[in-house]
Amino acid sequence: MQDNQTKILITGGAGFIGSNLCDYFLSKGNHVVCLDNFATGHRYNIEHLLANDNFKLIEGDIRNLNDCIKATSNVDYVLHQAALGSVPRSIENPIITNDVNVSGFLNMLMASRDNGVKRFIFAASSSTYGDSQELPKKEDSIGKPLSPYAITKYVNELYADVFSKTYGLETIGLRYFNVFGRNQDPNGAYAAVIPKFVMQLMKKESPIINGDGNYSRDFTYIDNIIQVNELAMNTKDKTAINTVYNAAYGDSITLNDMVVLIKKYLSEFDPSIENVEIIYGPKRVGDIAHSLASIEKARTKLNYEPKYSFQLGLKEAVKWYWENLK
Ligand code: NAD
């Protein structure tokens, strides 16, 4: 556990994963700084934290080096989450995705180096596995990227590696696999599949599955992601740093089975949701058929032990959407 004086910068702290990290690390008595430009994050995710003396919001942009320097001042650890997510967004606008995810990332590395940050932990992505067919995915074996987004996330790993070797900055990349849970935005063209489907089903609208629904994903509940961030921050094992880890549950479920479960859990609140039909649409460009992580490396090196199975997490998430967004 961190002592009370630890100061953590969470970039993208108003977003889905970032706001959960802000809540958690504040609840553990740390000082938390949130740097966000609200591009895809929301003030309502952090509104309840603004009165907390241990919380500081810096409204700024990682594309601006001065904002990054200001945000990393006197900071012990950086949990870098700020980025433009979504494969389709990056296919529609690769330039802005690259500016934020690559140039912004480099600014954050520079600022962290110059302000003497102890460790820089960053949100990497399972998209780095690209066209590799190997299952389960192991950290050392990646394929070719399938989207501009995937390129940016891979470049992040390369930059972090060079910064650790060249300047001695401690870094850890966490390759998140399809994270879901409270605060994940269900709205907008680039919404992730779980919150989007939950919201549609709550409104009794038919969700559209791209393809035949036999695609599978290693959907990972947010609390597992919080755990692996905390472990990455706290590890004293020098052989566990300057590397990347899969951050997942380590099991996969098809989209068809996922929808059945969402309907089942929502039916506990409104039984008529069980009757909403599912529609099948065309396959999406850049989508891979199956994704499943090996979590052995995080288990062995960081003592990661994910507590939430997909079912357990989904039940929590569905309840949260019902109670907060219905
Ligand atoms: P999100 O969109 O909810 O959060 C991203 C946050 O970054 C938002 O609050 C946004 O306003 C902020 N941001 C964007 N551009 C910025 C800029 N230029 N300057 C400052 N802040 C900026 O997304 P998320 O799902 O919470 O993702 C967090 C991180 O995890 C991202 O790096 C994403 O690529 C990565 N990731 C997420 C998943 C997932 O399943 N959600 C999977 C793999 C990787």
Side-chain angles (χ1 to χ4, degrees):
M1 230 29 66
Q2 296 300 298
D3 70 56
N4 283 355
Q5 303 308 310
T6 301
K7 192 167 165 187
I8 304 167
L9 167 64
I10 300 171
T11 69
F16 158 46
I17 297 171
S19 62
N20 276 288
L21 292 170
C22 287
D23 278 337
Y24 179 78
F25 285 105
L26 273 173
S27 79
K28 295 285 163 195
N30 301 285
H31 293 281
V32 169
V33 179
C34 162
L35 171 65
D36 206 298
N37 71 346
F38 297 100
T40 58
H42 301 287
R43 204 169 281 273
Y44 54 69
N45 283 338
I46 51 164
E47 197 85 59
H48 60 290
L49 303 177
L50 295 174
N52 188 330
D53 287 342
N54 287 335
F55 183 73
K56 183 175 169 194
L57 168 65
I58 298 178
E59 200 166 335
D61 196 314
I62 57 166
R63 287 168 294 182
N64 179 332
L65 182 59
N66 285 333
D67 287 351
C68 299
I69 290 169
K70 189 173 144 201
T72 45
S73 166
N74 296 315
V75 157
D76 297 299
Y77 298 96
V78 172
L79 303 181
H80 178 61
Q81 313 301 309
L84 286 179
S86 161
V87 164
R89 186 206 316 268
S90 78
I91 290 170
E92 270 156 46
N93 197 337
I95 290 180
I96 188 167
T97 297
N98 193 82
D99 282 349
V100 175
N101 296 11
V102 177
S103 302
F105 186 89
L106 182 56
N107 285 338
M108 280 303 306
L109 281 176
M110 288 291 285
S112 300
R113 181 200 72 177
D114 292 350
N115 273 327
V117 163
K118 288 185 190 144
R119 191 169 295 164
F120 181 90
I121 294 143
F122 63 98
S125 167
S126 60
S127 63
T128 293
Y129 289 102
D131 64 0
S132 158
Q133 301 288 318
E134 226 175 279
L135 289 175
K137 310 286 184 202
K138 295 204 180 99
E139 285 83 351
D140 286 344
S141 176
I142 61 170
K144 280 199 177 143
L146 290 170
S147 67
Y149 172 74
I151 293 178
T152 68
K153 287 290 168 175
Y154 183 44
V155 170
N156 288 177
E157 293 186 7
L158 298 173
Y159 263 125
D161 188 50
V162 164
F163 266 65
S164 61
K165 285 181 182 137
T166 315
Y167 307 114
L169 178 68
E170 292 192 1
T171 69
I172 292 182
L174 300 171
R175 286 184 188 157
Y176 298 162
F177 279 65
N178 294 81
V179 190
F180 70 97
R182 57 190 178 272
N183 293 2
Q184 190 171 27
D185 196 346
N187 300 309
Y190 305 120
V193 65
I194 291 181
K196 187 162 131 189
F197 282 13
V198 172
M199 279 303 272
Q200 287 171 330
L201 285 164
M202 285 202 306
K203 292 193 241 161
K204 316 236 172 100
E205 291 167 4
S206 290
I208 302 172
I209 291 185
N210 301 117
D212 63 8
N214 288 320
Y215 281 14
S216 63
R217 295 287 180 268
D218 196 336
F219 289 109
T220 307
Y221 188 57
I222 183 67
D223 286 17
N224 298 330
I225 294 298
I226 293 172
Q227 185 197 140
V228 74
N229 271 279
E230 184 172 37
L231 292 167
M233 202 169 96
N234 289 342
T235 184
K236 304 269 182 290
D237 178 357
K238 292 287 175 198
T239 70
I241 60 172
N242 303 334
T243 186
V244 295
Y245 294 94
N246 287 340
Y249 181 66
D251 197 1
S252 64
I253 183 158
T254 66
L255 265 71
N256 284 329
D257 289 345
M258 186 250 318
V259 177
V260 168
L261 276 175
I262 295 179
K263 284 172 79 171
K264 180 178 161 203
Y265 296 146
L266 279 174
S267 301
E268 291 172 15
F269 300 104
D270 177 350
S272 70
I273 291 176
E274 198 66 80
N275 305 324
V276 180
E277 268 185 54
I278 309 300
I279 297 173
Y280 289 87
K283 197 174 162 247
R284 240 175 30 174
V285 183
D287 267 348
I288 49 154
H290 301 289
S291 179
L292 167 66
S294 160
I295 55 168
E296 276 321 297
K297 187 174 173 188
R299 226 181 217 139
T300 316
K301 302 297 291 183
L302 299 175
N303 296 318
Y304 171 58
E305 222 31 85
K307 303 261 185 313
Y308 282 84
S309 65
F310 173 68
Q311 282 84 346
L312 213 55
L314 187 67
K315 213 169 171 43
E316 292 289 323
V318 163
K319 184 164 175 277
W320 185 86
Y321 283 107
W322 186 270
E323 288 172 352
N324 291 276
L325 299 183
K326 177 78 174 82

